[in-house]
Amino acid sequence: MKQSQLLFKAQREAPKDEKSVNAKLLVRAAFVDKLMAGVYSYLPLGFLVLKKIENIIREEMVKVGGQELLLPALHPKENWAKTGRWQTEEMFKLKSRGGKDYGLGWTHEEIITPLVKKFVSSHKDLPLFVFQIQNKFRDELRAKSGILRGIEFIMKDLYSFHKDEKDLSDYYEKVKSAYFKIFARCGLKKETFLTLAGGGTFSKYSHEFQAVTPYGEDLIYLCRNCSLAINKEIIEGEGNACFKCKSKNLEQKKAIELGNIFKLNDRFSKAFDFYFKDVKGQKKIVFMGCYGIGLGRLMGAIAEINNDKNGIIWPKEVAPFLVHLIPIEASKKVIKAADNLYDDLQNQGIEVLYDDRYGKGAGEKLVEADLLGIPYRMVVSEKTLKQNSIEFKERGTEKMRLIKISNVKVQMSKL
Amino acid sequence: MKQSQLLFKAQREAPKDEKSVNAKLLVRAAFVDKLMAGVYSYLPLGFLVLKKIENIIREEMVKVGGQELLLPALHPKENWAKTGRWQTEEMFKLKSRGGKDYGLGWTHEEIITPLVKKFVSSHKDLPLFVFQIQNKFRDELRAKSGILRGIEFIMKDLYSFHKDEKDLSDYYEKVKSAYFKIFARCGLKKETFLTLAGGGTFSKYSHEFQAVTPYGEDLIYLCRNCSLAINKEIIEGEGNACFKCKSKNLEQKKAIELGNIFKLNDRFSKAFDFYFKDVKGQKKIVFMGCYGIGLGRLMGAIAEINNDKNGIIWPKEVAPFLVHLIPIEASKKVIKAADNLYDDLQNQGIEVLYDDRYGKGAGEKLVEADLLGIPYRMVVSEKTLKQNSIEFKERGTEKMRLIKISNVKVQMSKL
């Protein structure tokens, strides 16, 4: 894409009304825009990142057998009354002109369970895995931390249905691995800790995926003895000792919750009277699991963790473009070389942002490039062209090197 | 995809609580599921169709210069108070625990106008075209007609910003052409009429794209004299005569509104005080246009128009799969031939639904195939294999023909 055609331009100053690192960077670089507290718009560059994250999640969900569907955001009161969750304070409620009560979905057990029930009667129909990527709403008293905690937010939620607890447990482990892959592909491999958490009303324990960062709003505890990560709630229940080895040698870390996985067991199948016939023809209750990832929150965490004083440093797989091509002079020779390189890279299937704003100064262009955070920067200038080369730099490193233009294709295929 | 893995199976009977053709067919074939009046879930097959439609629309929007973004569904009251539309009856309103007033978006002028204003100051920033594909909500007193008129629905909305009326008019014509392309690609070329409509409070006239069908809920009038299509509201204003030639030789047709395009002129830029500096440095008001298509409604219209007594007949570009591969016996020979053909077609990049349910009878499989409505059917049987062939049939036609297996690849590349 040519940068001259980019409609929403980065701003010189960080926004004054944002406190969190992620929002300061993302708003300034025009990836997102704040409509009101807890509600953001995704501008074209941010939308590209969101789609990259979405595709990574989709790919990994399909690999664990998930089939994608799309459930509504507007829910009838009746479904929530059945599980006793209509009164949940965080649920936005509204009335139609005709007097009907609706809630806005902050999760979808109350919708997916009766839906799947219509299609499942026998053990032959199980197990069954469905997921969606969809907008959710939650009436948070204090929406804060930029796009980390919103009152409107995009979630992937996967639901699994099983013939027994063992089958649920096996699948739960598969999803655990899939989640590690997703966060690794999003550039958060070394920060992500599987963290033991409470199970809510469903089962004894669940797991959170927490990304450690000094600006996280959660607290987790790493046991130095047995490498277990445990959330605050559990640690306090255990008298500030490790859940497993009882050691008090714990390291407290701030973290951002990227996702969570729950064994729901029969909590919702019971509420919706959801049984199946087993091999012997006997009526058995369905076991369920649910598995969530917040997409906006994940994008926020990536920006919050991957940055320096100059801007964001997007990990390759989620970057809006892979290469930022920047000619810093406006001579015929430079323009021609940059135009050719742009075509060549695109023909190679590489996503390039081409800074074709030839009226702008080199300094301004390079500052903006750092702010946008595209992984590879190629600078074209009179000087480098004398050696038939471009200057190549990876965002987040200081090392610059000259690469022969004839060699760019080979170099890029190696990355 | 293997049909045995399809989680949501077609039902023997049409649903009893659906009156419209589109809902009867789509619910029975398990493309959608009704959660409550006016609110549907998209099941995996329906989700595939939705994504096909989404991609067609996205491609055509990008061709007219649109850049994609994503705006929130939850809107602050303040924005709507500014344009005087907060009182709109169809707008769902809700309150947060903290007492803040929100509305659910049924359109996005109130959000996009102040957002774009932040980034536009000079004529150099114009024109500017942005679109999104996103969920909207409308408090309809009578949600009906299956997925044609919902209270929650998916829309593509494009907004354009211009330096003057002439530039807006030129772009308006471009979008008109893009819309014709979209509806043609969705298989509704001959049914779609550009229809003169009222302009609401914005400008004198707007245009609707109406698809003529006996089950449509709108009425349009085709002037036999000058080939103009005019909506009911305008015709009544003209004393039941053609708007252009005043002829009373009009043909009344039922139709489904697929999309609409509006010149908003300065209606919203005035409300949000949105000006720019022209070439001479003078302050000028921005001109706007908006252009909508309902994706669920389009899917409903396609099903409503393209069907026969046996089920849906999906047009090629929006079909969930291009080929339905159906072995009707369970011998080793048939299974092997079907397995090979499935691999070959997939390697060729063709989307295939493979009915690998070898326990099912031929009759049941073929009935279900007609219901699902995949464009090309390939039946593999002992009989056809004796001639090293499969039986090929296009959905919606009666003609069957034998194609040599060695020839399938060439035949498919011609379609």
Side-chain angles (χ1 to χ4, degrees):
Chain A
M1 182 183 194
K2 292 186 175 174
Q3 205 165 342
S4 61
Q5 288 164 16
L6 204 59
L7 303 177
F8 298 91
K9 293 180 177 48
Q11 291 149 17
R12 272 170 216 273
E13 305 288 336
K16 289 192 178 71
D17 61 335
E18 297 284 4
K19 281 179 189 159
S20 68
V21 176
N22 74 83
K24 274 184 190 163
L25 291 170
L26 291 169
V27 170
R28 195 180 154 205
F31 280 66
V32 305
D33 176 79
K34 186 185 192 169
L35 175 59
M36 56 182 163
V39 181
Y40 286 80
S41 301
Y42 292 87
L43 303 182
L45 282 180
F47 186 75
L48 288 177
V49 175
L50 194 67
K51 285 280 145 181
K52 294 277 170 87
I53 293 174
E54 187 180 309
N55 284 332
I56 290 173
I57 294 177
R58 179 173 287 129
E59 279 176 24
E60 299 301 335
M61 289 299 99
V62 168
K63 279 187 203 158
V64 293
Q67 278 181 37
E68 190 165 0
L69 43 63
L70 185 60
L71 303 173
L74 206 57
H75 299 180
K77 178 181 176 181
E78 297 75 40
N79 291 42
W80 288 82
K82 271 205 176 147
T83 59
R85 296 208 291 181
W86 175 251
Q87 292 312 329
T88 313
E89 277 194 314
E90 289 79 12
M91 185 150 179
F92 280 117
K93 291 161 190 108
L94 57 151
K95 250 188 210 304
S96 75
R97 286 193 274 170
K100 198 166 157 51
D101 285 303
Y102 301 119
L104 293 181
W106 51 276
T107 183
H108 277 74
E109 286 84 3
E110 275 78 356
I111 308 304
I112 194 70
T113 313
L115 169 57
V116 167
K117 184 188 168 186
K118 289 187 199 176
F119 292 88
V120 168
S121 56
S122 150
H123 64 98
K124 289 179 199 158
D125 303 320
L126 297 172
L128 186 152
F129 321 116
V130 287
F131 74 100
Q132 63 167 346
I133 295 169
Q134 185 255 14
N135 266 35
K136 301 210 180 330
F137 302 86
R138 188 154 45 199
D139 191 356
E140 298 276 356
L141 279 181
R142 280 176 302 276
K144 56 172 187 173
S145 305
I147 61 171
L148 293 182
R149 181 178 295 278
I151 58 174
E152 176 173 355
F153 52 99
I154 306 166
M155 285 269 294
K156 182 284 301 174
D157 39 340
L158 167 71
Y159 302 92
S160 70
F161 300 83
H162 307 269
K163 64 178 168 45
D164 54 33
E165 210 175 338
K166 165 77 169 64
D167 198 61
L168 166 59
S169 287
D170 292 348
Y171 189 70
Y172 189 85
E173 294 306 316
K174 267 196 198 171
V175 178
K176 236 185 226 175
S177 309
Y179 269 40
F180 275 120
K181 271 186 224 159
I182 289 167
F183 301 129
R185 291 179 66 183
C186 289
L188 300 176
K189 184 167 182 172
K190 73 173 202 295
E191 289 83 5
T192 304
F193 288 85
L194 179 71
T195 307
L196 194 72
T201 49
F202 318 134
S203 66
K204 207 162 176 194
Y205 301 106
S206 69
H207 289 93
E208 295 165 350
F209 289 78
Q210 293 273 7
V212 168
T213 158
Y215 307 100
E217 54 175 24
D218 281 7
L219 280 179
I220 66 167
Y221 297 83
L222 305 180
C223 173
R224 288 201 182 82
N225 209 29
C226 61
S227 309
L228 193 68
I230 310 159
N231 84 356
K232 203 175 170 222
E233 174 199 357
I234 298 265
I235 279 288
E236 285 172 354
E238 297 286 325
N240 294 313
C242 172
F243 171 80
K244 205 163 138 196
C245 71
K246 307 298 168 198
S247 158
K248 295 215 171 186
N249 189 7
L250 303 169
E251 193 180 352
Q252 179 183 297
K253 294 272 190 189
K254 287 190 176 171
I256 297 167
E257 188 187 335
L258 303 177
N260 51 42
I261 56 178
F262 277 100
K263 290 181 188 173
L264 301 172
N265 293 334
D266 61 3
R267 163 80 171 90
F268 294 94
S269 36
K270 266 207 177 132
F272 288 99
D273 207 20
F274 183 13
Y275 293 85
F276 69 98
K277 287 225 167 104
D278 73 4
V279 267
K280 292 175 189 157
Q282 281 182 329
K283 196 176 142 185
K284 290 272 172 68
I285 193 86
V286 170
F287 275 76
M288 287 173 60
C290 78
Y291 318 84
I293 295 178
L295 276 76
R297 172 177 285 214
L298 181 48
M299 179 170 156
I302 296 167
E304 187 90 24
I305 290 170
N306 296 282
N307 61 70
D308 60 19
K309 66 182 194 315
N310 300 321
I312 307 169
I313 305 170
W314 290 112
K316 264 182 274 181
E317 273 211 72
V318 299
F321 298 92
L322 191 66
V323 171
H324 204 161
L325 176 64
I326 310 173
I328 55 168
E329 284 136 1
S331 67
K332 270 190 189 164
K333 203 178 153 191
V334 168
I335 295 174
K336 200 182 160 204
D339 280 354
N340 287 342
L341 203 50
Y342 179 56
D343 291 342
D344 287 351
L345 288 165
Q346 288 208 311
N347 290 338
Q348 209 183 326
I350 291 170
E351 291 165 326
V352 187
L353 183 65
Y354 172 18
D355 195 343
D356 62 333
R357 300 169 304 168
Y358 283 98
K360 276 218 186 305
E364 199 181 344
K365 282 181 164 188
L366 296 178
V367 165
E368 199 175 319
D370 276 354
L371 185 61
L372 298 190
I374 294 167
Y376 301 113
R377 191 183 84 180
M378 295 185 186
V379 172
V380 186
S381 68
E382 289 282 349
K383 199 177 142 195
T384 61
L385 286 181
K386 276 184 191 142
Q387 299 176 61
N388 297 313
S389 297
I390 52 105
E391 183 202 275
F392 184 89
K393 184 178 164 299
E394 190 167 349
R395 177 78 181 92
T397 67
E398 289 308 314
K399 213 181 78 186
M400 288 183 264
R401 57 194 170 107
L402 286 183
I403 295 181
K404 294 269 178 220
I405 289 179
S406 56
N407 242 338
V408 166
K409 196 170 168 175
V410 176
Q411 287 291 323
M412 289 309 296
S413 65
K414 281 187 197 161
L415 292 173
Chain B
M1 182 185 195
K2 292 186 176 176
Q3 205 165 344
S4 62
Q5 288 164 15
L6 204 59
L7 304 178
F8 298 91
K9 294 179 175 50
Q11 291 149 17
R12 272 171 216 276
E13 305 288 335
K16 288 192 178 70
D17 61 335
E18 297 285 3
K19 282 179 188 158
S20 68
V21 175
N22 74 83
K24 275 184 189 163
L25 291 170
L26 291 168
V27 171
R28 195 177 154 207
F31 280 66
V32 305
D33 176 79
K34 186 185 193 169
L35 174 59
M36 57 183 162
V39 181
Y40 287 80
S41 301
Y42 291 87
L43 303 183
L45 283 179
F47 185 74
L48 288 177
V49 175
L50 194 66
K51 285 281 146 180
K52 295 277 170 86
I53 293 174
E54 188 180 308
N55 284 332
I56 290 173
I57 294 176
R58 179 172 287 131
E59 280 176 24
E60 299 301 334
M61 290 299 99
V62 168
K63 279 187 203 160
V64 294
Q67 278 180 37
E68 191 164 359
L69 43 64
L70 186 60
L71 304 173
L74 205 57
H75 298 179
K77 177 180 175 181
E78 297 75 40
N79 291 43
W80 288 82
K82 273 208 175 143
T83 60
R85 295 208 290 181
W86 175 251
Q87 293 312 327
T88 313
E89 278 194 313
E90 289 79 12
M91 185 150 179
F92 280 118
K93 292 163 190 103
L94 57 151
K95 249 188 209 308
S96 75
R97 286 193 275 168
K100 197 166 158 51
D101 286 303
Y102 301 120
L104 293 181
W106 51 277
T107 183
H108 278 75
E109 286 85 2
E110 274 79 356
I111 308 304
I112 194 68
T113 313
L115 169 58
V116 168
K117 184 188 168 187
K118 289 186 199 176
F119 292 87
V120 168
S121 57
S122 149
H123 65 97
K124 289 179 200 156
D125 304 318
L126 297 172
L128 186 153
F129 321 117
V130 287
F131 74 99
Q132 63 167 346
I133 294 170
Q134 185 256 13
N135 266 34
K136 301 208 180 329
F137 302 86
R138 190 156 42 199
D139 192 356
E140 297 276 356
L141 280 181
R142 283 175 301 276
K144 56 171 188 175
S145 307
I147 62 171
L148 293 181
R149 180 178 296 277
I151 60 175
E152 177 173 355
F153 51 99
I154 306 164
M155 284 269 296
K156 182 283 301 174
D157 39 340
L158 166 72
Y159 301 92
S160 70
F161 300 83
H162 307 269
K163 63 178 169 43
D164 54 33
E165 210 175 340
K166 164 77 169 63
D167 199 60
L168 166 58
S169 288
D170 292 347
Y171 189 70
Y172 189 85
E173 294 305 316
K174 267 196 199 171
V175 179
K176 237 186 226 175
S177 309
Y179 269 40
F180 275 119
K181 270 186 226 159
I182 289 167
F183 301 129
R185 290 180 66 183
C186 289
L188 300 176
K189 185 169 182 170
K190 73 173 202 295
E191 289 84 5
T192 304
F193 287 85
L194 180 71
T195 307
L196 194 72
T201 49
F202 318 135
S203 66
K204 208 162 177 193
Y205 302 106
S206 69
H207 289 93
E208 295 164 351
F209 288 78
Q210 295 273 7
V212 167
T213 159
Y215 306 102
E217 55 175 23
D218 281 7
L219 279 179
I220 66 167
Y221 297 83
L222 306 179
C223 173
R224 290 203 181 80
N225 209 29
C226 61
S227 310
L228 193 66
I230 310 160
N231 84 356
K232 203 174 167 221
E233 175 199 355
I234 300 265
I235 280 288
E236 285 171 353
E238 296 287 324
N240 295 313
C242 171
F243 171 81
K244 204 164 140 194
C245 72
K246 305 298 169 200
S247 158
K248 296 216 170 187
N249 188 6
L250 302 169
E251 192 179 355
Q252 179 185 294
K253 294 272 190 190
K254 286 190 175 170
I256 298 167
E257 188 186 335
L258 302 177
N260 52 42
I261 56 178
F262 277 100
K263 290 181 188 172
L264 301 172
N265 294 333
D266 61 3
R267 162 79 170 93
F268 293 94
S269 37
K270 267 206 176 134
F272 287 99
D273 206 21
F274 182 13
Y275 294 84
F276 69 98
K277 288 228 165 102
D278 73 4
V279 267
K280 292 174 189 160
Q282 281 179 328
K283 196 176 141 185
K284 290 272 171 68
I285 192 87
V286 170
F287 275 75
M288 288 174 58
C290 78
Y291 318 83
I293 296 179
L295 276 77
R297 171 176 286 212
L298 181 49
M299 179 170 156
I302 295 168
E304 187 90 24
I305 290 169
N306 296 282
N307 62 68
D308 60 20
K309 65 182 194 317
N310 301 321
I312 306 170
I313 305 169
W314 290 111
K316 262 182 277 181
E317 272 212 71
V318 299
F321 298 92
L322 191 65
V323 171
H324 203 161
L325 176 64
I326 309 173
I328 54 168
E329 285 136 359
S331 67
K332 269 190 190 167
K333 201 177 155 191
V334 168
I335 295 175
K336 200 183 160 203
D339 280 353
N340 287 342
L341 202 51
Y342 179 56
D343 291 342
D344 286 352
L345 287 166
Q346 288 209 313
N347 291 338
Q348 208 183 327
I350 290 171
E351 291 165 324
V352 187
L353 183 64
Y354 172 20
D355 195 343
D356 62 335
R357 301 169 305 168
Y358 283 100
K360 276 219 188 303
E364 198 182 343
K365 282 182 164 188
L366 298 177
V367 165
E368 199 175 318
D370 275 355
L371 185 61
L372 297 190
I374 294 168
Y376 301 113
R377 191 182 86 181
M378 294 185 187
V379 171
V380 186
S381 68
E382 289 282 349
K383 199 177 140 194
T384 60
L385 285 181
K386 275 182 191 143
Q387 299 176 61
N388 297 314
S389 297
I390 52 105
E391 183 202 274
F392 184 89
K393 183 177 166 299
E394 191 167 348
R395 178 76 182 93
T397 66
E398 290 308 314
K399 213 180 79 186
M400 288 184 264
R401 56 193 173 108
L402 286 182
I403 296 181
K404 294 268 178 222
I405 289 178
S406 56
N407 242 336
V408 166
K409 196 171 167 173
V410 176
Q411 287 293 322
M412 288 309 296
S413 66
K414 281 187 195 160
L415 293 174

